[in-house]
């Protein structure tokens, strides 16, 4: 009843092509943004910002990046963490060596460096596909991490390899409180998500999906294989690079190689699968789900420990986390391969009919 | 010169270990077309179960038998719960399901048996063979040779199994063409259960070998990941390919570490195998022994 | 379907030779798909390629649009010689095609599939698209308009937002034709456009093929098994058998050619 489209006609192609063609959606999104930008900073606690919201946003961005490459363009990649790492370290170096550069510019430089490496490691995709490509991206993951560890210039000759991230300041205002970091991250992620949405519904997005669905046919109708695949790698790596820079500067506070190991690559891949392959909304849903899950497991195990007066060690919870992640992946692949985004779509379809059965 | 031989020999023998893991992959891929990313986790589970039972003072052979049963059970359950529902999905979906399976098995192994490292003794000491070291001044570990022998026996047994027995023939039929196999009355579910069981057994052997060499600990799963470059070199469907691929990767990795390593700060072993695989993919995507992949519109 | 078509004056009368195949031979390893085949195609005409199964018809089409490269012979397009044209170049030169086993992008809607056909005409770069800024936005609307015209032309308005994977076979074929048309080709290659269709669907598809030729003046080369269709709608016919040309002429000429009749009846030759 609330979600009817009746009476909402489109009289121009421009209207038909909007991101949110249904008025109720537009209202909902406006409310959501208002809550995110205005209400949350007022009511949320420090813990909420640091442990939940900021990592959720950062991983949403990384998931967006991987989704563009794997979900839309069909090129599977296990090197996400490496690209995040490049973004973080190059942003650090830009801040260090280009003092005149505003920190947002440093983040962009981090992203661009990641994009360049992404193009280099995307070249194999012109000849290989599927899990062969996945193994090739593993080469990227390990090689990049090794390089970061071994080339002293990258870590500014730090002895321990763990460097403190610089302060972020703009026009004299320092982003050092959790709330300010949250708003900064939120703005960056929201803008980049908008850009991603625009990209995937335009010709570039269609070219990506054509390559994913049937690349031989795509080539026959004139879509340039090399340009399309490399562009996918470049854009995806840029997003992951910026996410990595945010990860180091707004969340960890340090820039270290250990934060960008293979496990992170898998985690982001899981967010893509659970959230929904080839869906912008899905990237957020998947990231949210995977970020919240460990928190729930912790709360759950604390509750059980208190109720039954038993000891549950941290290792147990960590292993339960692994099992749950793996199990959820399998569950989603069997039951709903298009992830939470599809479940959301189905819910909306039902909502259109509500309260009528059909 | 002797040093070089030592390095090469050491590399080859390390390569044999990789081959053992890769062998499990090949078996499953050959029979069901599934790329089992979880093979490494299976190796870990097998090793951990076996070593924990030993530490609980169980008899060696009983522990071995029980672990084998566990691995077979894991294989059958995997086939039933994970693979059967996903039968008609594209290969990439199955691949991602096995990534999920990896996490489940790794978590389960450590949940049940704990996460501290274990040492494993199989009665063969990891010391240089006196005969070789005294006569030719070459140090090659006895254990490495034992592992190579075990691998040889395993491959030989598998070869005989595939070629001479009825079940082996059925396995080859299924690997070739599922529909045709069904048409002659071969039960696919049966065959897949057997294949996963055999792969579980191979994982156990690999786990035991690796366990002695490096101890049974979580890092084992990373080593198992190295089987992927081996498969790329050897081709996903070839048993000899897995062996030869393993040998090449093992040897070149060691050589690179020893001779190139000092120039670039060491630690090459973390990525060298993958880069070799990458280069191979660009030149010969189907590997040395694999079948050429043809794209048709 | 024996009514003679094209009785009214054609909007685009058949013109000069626009495409000619000269002594083309194609082999895959030991298998000779095509041996010394030569024929030409005139502008605005409807040329059919027919022949028993395995005659090399699809291979010929694949050579025409650069998917296969012949070992011998050349393709001459508007006077220019090509030995090694790749499919990307062919698309740029105005050659579009459909496939025997539908090659649509199953994950996208009908509208998006047809829009991909316009990709060669799109000029905006990815940054402009990401910002949804002026040129990208305007261009998208212009191309949307062009695609909607094709959708109207092929009467598929009711399914424009449906994911292609959910459509019945006949409609998928029509969408594939739409995608080929979206590129505004000068030469359209159709690989068995009527395969797997019932009589009504075939009549519809015939009507559309003729309309395309009439309305847009597109030169059409089509492979087809249905003799009735071929004889009725084509201007000239090429007959292939075991990779060689055994007949070339108007439908009537080919119909009474003894070699062609033998080939179809399976008389050893």
């Amino acid at each position: 009843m609330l979600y009817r489209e009746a009476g909402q006609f489109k009289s121009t192609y421009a209207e038909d092509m909007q991101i949110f063609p249904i008025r109720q959606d537009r209202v909902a999104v406006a409310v959501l943004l208002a809550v995110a930008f205005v209400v949350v900073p007022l009511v949320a606690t420090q813990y909420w910002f640091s442990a939940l919201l900021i990592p959720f946003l950062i991983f949403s961005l990384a998931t967006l990046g991987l989704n563009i490459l794997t979900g839309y363009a069909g090129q599977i990649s296990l090197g996400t963490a490496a690209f995040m790492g490049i973004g973080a370290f190059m942003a650090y170096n830009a801040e260090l060596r280009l003092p005149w550069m505003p920190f947002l510019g440093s983040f962009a430089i981090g992203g661009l460096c990641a994009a360049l490496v992404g193009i280099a490691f995307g070249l194999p995709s012109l000849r290989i596909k599927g899990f062969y490509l996945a193994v090739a991206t593993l080469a990227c993951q390990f090689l990049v991490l090794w390089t970061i560890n071994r080339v002293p210039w990258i870590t500014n000759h730090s002895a321990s390899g763990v460097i403190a991230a610089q302060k972020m300041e703009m026009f004299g205002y320092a982003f050092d409180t959790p709330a300010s970091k949250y708003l900064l991250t939120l703005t960056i992620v929201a803008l980049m998500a908008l850009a991603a949405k625009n990209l995937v519904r335009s010709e570039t997005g269609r070219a990506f999906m054509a390559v994913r669905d049937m690349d031989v046919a795509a080539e026959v109708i004139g879509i340039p294989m090399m340009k399309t695949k490399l562009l996918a790698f470049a854009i995806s790596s840029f997003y992951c690079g910026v996410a990595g820079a945010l990860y180091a500067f707004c969340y960890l506070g340090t820039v270290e190689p250990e934060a960008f190991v293979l496990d992170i690559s898998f985690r982001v891949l899981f967010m893509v699968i659970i959230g929904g392959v080839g869906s912008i909304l899905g990237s957020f849903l998947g990231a949210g789900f995977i970020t919240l899950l460990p928190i729930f497991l912790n709360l759950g195990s604390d509750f059980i420990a208190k109720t039954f007066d038993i000891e549950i060690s941290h290792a147990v919870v960590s292993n339960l986390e692994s099992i749950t992640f793996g199990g959820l992946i399998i569950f989603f692949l069997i039951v709903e391969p298009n992830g939470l985004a599809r479940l959301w779509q189905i819910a909306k379809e039902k909502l259109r009919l509500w309260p009528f059965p059909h | 010169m002797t040093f070089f031989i030592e390095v090469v020999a050491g590399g080859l023998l390390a390569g044999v270990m990789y081959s053992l893991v890769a062998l499990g992959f090949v078996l499953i891929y050959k029979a069901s077309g599934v790329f089992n990313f979880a093979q490494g986790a299976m190796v870990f589970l097998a090793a951990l179960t076996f070593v924990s039972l030993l530490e609980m003072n169980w008899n060696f052979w009983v522990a071995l038998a029980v672990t084998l049963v566990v691995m077979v059970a894991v294989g059958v359950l995997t086939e039933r719960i994970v693979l059967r529902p996903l039968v008609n999905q594209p290969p990439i979906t199955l691949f991602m399901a096995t990534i999920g399976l990896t996490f489940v098995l790794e978590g389960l192994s450590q949940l049940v048996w704990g996460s501290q490292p274990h040492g494993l003794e199989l009665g063969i000491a990891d010391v240089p063979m006196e005969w070789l070291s005294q006569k030719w001044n070459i140090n090659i570990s006895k254990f490495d040779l034992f592992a190579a022998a075990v691998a040889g026996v395993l491959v030989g047994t598998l070869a005989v199994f595939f070629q001479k027995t009825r079940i082996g023939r059925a396995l080859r039929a299924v690997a070739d063409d599922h529909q045709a196999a069904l048409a002659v009355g071969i039960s696919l579910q049966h065959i897949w259960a057997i294949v996963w069981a055999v792969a579980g057994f191979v994982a156990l052997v690999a786990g035991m070998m690796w366990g002695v060499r490096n101890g049974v600990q979580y890092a084992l799963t990373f080593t198992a990941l190295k089987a992927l470059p081996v498969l790329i070199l050897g081709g996903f469907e070839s048993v000899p390919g897995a062996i030869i691929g393993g040998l090449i990767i093992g040897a070149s990795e060691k050589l690179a570490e020893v001779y190139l390593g000092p120039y670039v700060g060491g630690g090459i072993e973390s990525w060298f195998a993958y880069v070799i695989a990458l280069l191979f993919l660009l030149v010969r995507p189907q590997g040395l022994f694999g079948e050429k992949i043809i794209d048709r519109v | 379907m024996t009514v003679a078509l094209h009785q009214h004056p054609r909007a685009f009368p058949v013109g000069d030779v626009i495409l000619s195949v000269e002594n083309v031979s194609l082999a895959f390893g030991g298998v000779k798909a095509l041996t010394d085949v030569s024929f030409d195609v005139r502008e605005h005409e409807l040329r059919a390629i027919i022949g028993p199964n395995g005659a090399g018809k699809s291979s010929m089409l694949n050579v025409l649009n650069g998917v296969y490269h012949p070992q011998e012979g050349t393709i001459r397009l508007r006077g220019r010689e090509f030995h090694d044209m790749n499919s990307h170049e062919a698309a740029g030169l105005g050659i579009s095609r459909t496939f025997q086993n539908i090659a649509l992008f199953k994950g996208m809607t009908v509208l998006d599939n047809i829009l991909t056909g316009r990709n060669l005409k799109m000029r905006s770069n990815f940054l402009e698209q990401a910002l949804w800024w002026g040129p990208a936005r305007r261009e998208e609307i212009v191309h949307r308009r062009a695609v909607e015209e094709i959708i109207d032309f092929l009467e598929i308005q009711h399914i424009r937002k449906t994911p292609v994977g959910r459509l019945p076979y006949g409609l998928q074929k029509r969408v594939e034709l739409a995608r080929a048309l979206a590129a505004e080709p000068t030469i359209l290659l159709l690989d068995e456009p009527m395969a797997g269709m019932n009589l009504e669907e075939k009549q519809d598809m015939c009507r559309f093929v003729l309309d395309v030729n009439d309305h847009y003046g597109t030169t059409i080369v089509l492979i087809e098994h249905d003799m009735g269709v071929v004889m009725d709608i084509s201007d000239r016919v090429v007959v292939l058998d075991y990779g060689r040309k055994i007949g070339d002429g108007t439908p009537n000429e080919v119909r009474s050619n003894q070699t062609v009749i033998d080939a179809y009846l399976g008389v050893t030759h």
Side-chain angles (χ1 to χ4, degrees):
Chain A
M1 211 158 63
L2 295 167
Y3 204 59
R4 293 255 162 207
E5 298 163 30
Q8 296 181 35
F9 297 110
K10 312 285 180 294
S11 51
T12 64
Y13 291 129
E15 277 177 16
D16 193 49
M17 290 192 282
Q18 298 170 58
I19 295 180
F20 298 109
I22 303 177
R23 194 189 314 124
Q24 289 90 331
D25 278 340
R26 289 200 287 277
V27 169
V29 169
V31 168
L32 185 67
L33 286 174
V35 166
F37 275 95
V38 177
V39 177
V40 167
L42 295 174
V43 301
T45 66
Q46 193 137 342
Y47 173 74
W48 271 80
F49 286 131
S50 322
L52 292 178
L53 293 167
I54 294 180
F56 156 64
L57 287 170
I58 291 174
F59 277 103
S60 299
L61 191 59
T63 311
L64 265 176
L66 186 57
N67 222 335
I68 289 175
L69 183 60
T70 302
Y72 284 97
Q75 313 296 310
I76 193 164
S77 163
L78 292 174
T80 314
F83 294 124
M84 288 173 75
I86 296 176
F89 275 91
M90 293 323 268
Y92 164 77
N93 274 288
E95 275 289 277
L96 185 71
R97 298 166 204 280
L98 307 169
W100 44 267
M101 173 77 75
F103 75 89
L104 285 177
S106 301
F107 286 179
I109 290 184
L112 284 169
C113 292
L116 284 172
V117 177
I119 293 178
F121 278 96
L123 286 168
S125 74
L126 299 174
R127 290 208 61 175
I128 54 182
K129 296 197 258 198
F131 31 72
Y132 296 94
L133 187 59
V135 177
T137 56
L138 275 180
C140 172
Q141 169 72 36
F142 290 127
L143 194 52
V144 164
L145 234 54
W146 177 87
T147 312
I148 292 179
N149 270 313
R150 289 283 184 283
V151 176
W153 181 87
I154 297 180
T155 52
N156 197 23
H157 305 271
S158 143
S160 64
V162 177
I163 325 161
Q166 298 96 332
K167 291 239 168 291
M168 302 174 285
E169 274 185 16
M170 191 159 80
F171 304 126
Y173 176 78
F175 288 91
D176 50 11
T177 65
S180 60
K181 287 185 187 172
Y182 159 73
L183 282 172
L184 173 69
T185 315
L186 179 63
T187 315
I188 295 180
V189 172
L191 288 173
M192 287 181 81
L194 180 62
K197 183 70 181 173
N198 282 333
L199 206 59
V200 300
R201 63 187 176 124
S202 66
E203 184 53 33
T204 310
R206 285 193 291 269
F208 286 170
M209 290 193 273
V211 166
R212 174 194 69 192
D213 285 342
M214 201 181 286
D215 54 357
V216 184
E219 199 155 19
V220 166
I221 66 173
I223 292 178
M225 228 13 60
M226 178 161 99
K227 180 164 169 252
T228 308
K229 285 186 179 176
L230 292 182
L231 188 61
F233 270 96
I235 296 179
S236 166
S237 311
F238 179 79
Y239 271 66
C240 293
V242 174
L246 286 171
Y247 194 51
F249 281 75
C250 291
Y251 180 61
L252 293 174
T254 58
V255 192
E256 50 180 312
E258 284 315 302
F260 302 107
V261 288
L262 185 61
D263 193 61
I264 301 280
S265 292
F266 281 124
R267 197 168 281 233
V268 178
L269 184 62
F270 287 178
M271 293 178 196
V272 169
I273 298 176
I274 290 183
V277 157
S279 157
I280 302 286
L281 174 66
S283 310
F284 285 94
L285 294 176
F289 195 82
I290 301 265
T291 314
L292 286 178
L293 194 61
I295 314 269
F296 278 126
L297 283 174
N298 264 315
L299 289 175
S301 67
D302 277 343
F303 177 72
I304 294 180
K306 285 206 178 59
T307 319
F308 295 104
D309 203 23
I310 44 176
E311 279 270 326
I312 299 188
S313 78
H314 190 67
V316 168
V317 179
S318 159
N319 286 321
L320 279 173
E321 204 180 283
S322 281
I323 299 177
T324 319
F325 279 169
L328 279 170
I329 289 288
I330 297 176
F331 174 75
F332 269 94
L333 284 171
I334 295 176
V335 169
E336 184 47 81
N338 289 315
L340 291 170
R342 179 87 188 109
L343 291 176
W344 174 252
Q345 246 185 353
I346 295 176
K348 274 173 52 169
E349 298 273 307
K350 294 258 161 30
L351 201 55
R352 287 178 68 211
L353 297 172
W354 184 79
F356 303 107
H358 53 263
Chain B
M1 186 57 192
T2 52
F3 179 63
F4 178 74
I5 295 185
E6 267 176 28
V7 172
V8 170
L12 286 175
L13 293 166
V16 164
M17 310 268 242
Y18 290 140
S19 304
L20 283 175
V21 182
L23 211 50
F25 274 113
V26 168
L27 287 173
I28 294 180
Y29 189 77
K30 254 176 107 80
S32 55
V34 175
F35 184 74
N36 180 25
F37 196 79
Q39 191 69 21
M42 283 165 69
V43 169
F44 180 58
L45 174 64
L48 200 52
T49 309
F50 181 63
V51 98
S52 306
L53 290 177
L54 279 186
E55 283 180 2
M56 293 182 353
N57 284 321
W58 286 38
N59 173 274
F60 179 90
W61 296 105
V62 174
L64 196 60
V66 169
T67 310
L68 192 55
V69 168
V70 167
M71 293 314 295
V72 170
V74 163
V76 172
L77 280 172
T78 304
E79 195 275 318
R80 190 161 294 229
I81 300 179
V82 177
L83 295 179
R84 218 181 279 188
L86 291 174
V87 146
N88 278 318
Q89 299 295 331
I92 206 72
T93 309
L94 287 159
F95 172 58
M96 297 208 272
T98 57
I99 296 184
L101 184 63
T102 310
F103 272 68
V104 171
L105 289 179
E106 284 174 4
L108 206 56
S109 314
Q110 293 183 104
L111 192 65
V112 172
W113 299 117
S115 29
Q116 67 275 33
H118 303 262
L120 180 58
E121 293 286 325
L122 282 179
I124 317 266
D126 198 5
V127 290
M129 194 128 187
E130 304 100 14
W131 174 69
L132 278 173
S133 67
Q134 268 158 15
K135 219 168 170 214
W136 280 307
N137 206 17
I138 300 178
N139 290 318
I140 297 186
S141 156
K142 269 198 226 173
F143 182 74
D144 280 343
L145 290 169
F146 172 66
V150 166
V153 168
L154 193 59
V155 170
T157 320
L158 284 172
V160 167
F161 177 65
F162 278 126
Q163 295 294 129
K164 306 284 185 206
T165 67
R166 194 180 56 120
I167 296 186
R169 204 163 37 238
L171 271 164
R172 282 187 290 137
V174 167
D176 216 34
D177 189 333
H178 289 181
Q179 297 281 30
L182 277 172
V184 294
I186 297 178
S187 159
L188 282 182
Q189 257 97 41
H190 231 85
I191 294 297
W192 285 336
I194 294 179
V195 166
W196 279 82
V198 174
F201 172 65
V202 171
L204 174 55
V205 173
M208 283 164 63
M209 298 295 124
W210 275 112
V212 170
R213 176 32 65 81
N214 291 340
V216 179
Q217 50 186 322
Y218 184 67
L220 199 53
T221 54
F222 276 96
T223 326
L225 218 54
K226 285 249 185 85
L228 295 178
V230 169
L231 288 165
I232 291 184
L233 242 71
F236 281 77
E237 298 180 352
S238 157
V239 168
I243 304 295
I244 299 190
L247 292 176
I248 297 180
I249 292 278
S252 50
E253 200 179 55
K254 269 287 182 311
L255 283 170
E257 181 67 49
V258 167
Y259 289 102
L260 289 177
Y263 294 110
V264 288
I268 290 193
E269 282 180 313
S270 68
W271 52 263
F272 193 74
Y274 294 96
V275 171
I276 298 251
L278 179 57
L279 294 171
F280 224 79
L281 279 173
L282 296 174
V283 171
R284 201 188 155 87
Q286 70 271 31
L288 290 167
F289 295 93
E291 283 174 18
K292 222 173 159 103
I293 318 143
I294 309 178
D295 253 334
R296 284 224 162 79
V297 182
Chain C
M1 285 191 291
T2 51
V3 178
L5 301 150
H6 289 310
Q7 280 195 323
H8 60 277
R10 287 171 83 139
F12 295 92
V14 175
D16 296 321
V17 170
I18 187 179
L19 176 68
S20 70
V21 175
E22 292 163 14
N23 306 101
V24 159
S25 293
L26 178 71
F28 299 112
V31 178
K32 292 216 174 96
L34 297 167
T35 314
D36 199 29
V37 176
S38 303
F39 63 92
D40 59 43
V41 181
R42 289 175 178 275
E43 207 172 359
H44 306 310
E45 85 171 324
L46 248 163
R47 193 81 145 107
I49 302 181
I50 66 174
N53 276 320
K57 310 188 290 291
S58 278
S59 302
M60 189 68 246
L61 226 57
N62 281 331
V63 166
L64 284 178
N65 93 310
V67 175
Y68 294 154
H69 298 148
Q71 277 81 17
E72 283 165 38
T74 40
I75 312 287
R76 198 182 293 268
L77 180 63
R78 295 193 200 90
R80 266 179 72 192
E81 265 190 35
F82 293 97
H83 298 273
D84 261 334
M85 176 173 59
N86 69 39
S87 47
H88 188 92
E89 271 182 271
L93 290 165
I95 303 180
S96 256
R97 71 170 290 178
T98 64
F99 295 88
Q100 199 173 346
N101 304 313
I102 302 176
L104 287 172
F105 306 120
K106 294 272 161 48
M108 295 198 256
T109 61
V110 166
L111 193 54
D112 279 338
N113 262 280
I114 306 175
L115 275 166
T116 60
R118 302 285 295 176
N119 76 88
L120 285 171
K121 306 200 184 296
M122 299 236 181
R123 291 275 163 265
S124 60
N125 64 44
F126 75 94
L127 279 171
E128 288 168 334
Q129 289 166 13
L131 296 170
W132 199 240
W133 183 43
R137 200 163 173 274
R138 281 194 291 275
E139 192 180 60
E140 187 77 12
I141 293 176
V142 162
H143 289 297
R144 171 74 186 266
R145 189 160 285 133
V147 164
E148 289 286 347
E149 274 180 32
I150 297 177
I151 290 179
D152 283 343
F153 183 72
L154 290 177
E155 296 167 17
I156 44 179
Q157 303 91 326
H158 56 297
I159 49 166
R160 62 155 84 75
K161 294 272 174 84
T162 315
V164 147
R166 292 205 213 146
L167 293 173
Y169 185 77
L171 281 176
Q172 284 190 19
K173 284 230 141 179
R174 227 190 280 180
V175 172
E176 218 195 356
L177 179 60
R179 186 182 66 181
L181 288 177
E184 294 173 17
T186 36
I187 303 177
L188 186 58
L189 308 174
L190 301 175
D191 198 339
E192 300 201 30
M194 327 262 175
M197 291 187 176
N198 62 33
L199 187 58
E200 269 177 39
E201 290 171 329
K202 276 195 197 179
Q203 286 179 337
D204 279 338
M205 191 53 105
C206 268
R207 174 166 59 92
F208 289 131
V209 169
L210 285 172
D211 279 348
V212 166
N213 181 258
D214 246 355
H215 191 86
Y216 296 110
T218 320
T219 312
I220 299 181
V221 179
L222 86 149
I223 296 177
E224 190 43 59
H225 275 298
D226 185 328
M227 278 307 127
V229 166
V230 168
M231 296 301 162
D232 273 345
I233 70 173
S234 34
D235 292 314
R236 286 193 299 156
V237 179
V238 174
V239 190
L240 296 179
D241 186 32
Y242 288 117
R244 289 179 194 278
K245 185 174 86 168
I246 61 170
D248 186 353
T250 66
N252 281 323
E253 287 166 13
V254 160
R255 198 206 302 260
S256 37
N257 180 328
Q258 189 59 40
T259 329
V260 173
I261 297 174
D262 284 345
Y264 270 96
L265 289 180
V267 172
T268 36
H269 54 282

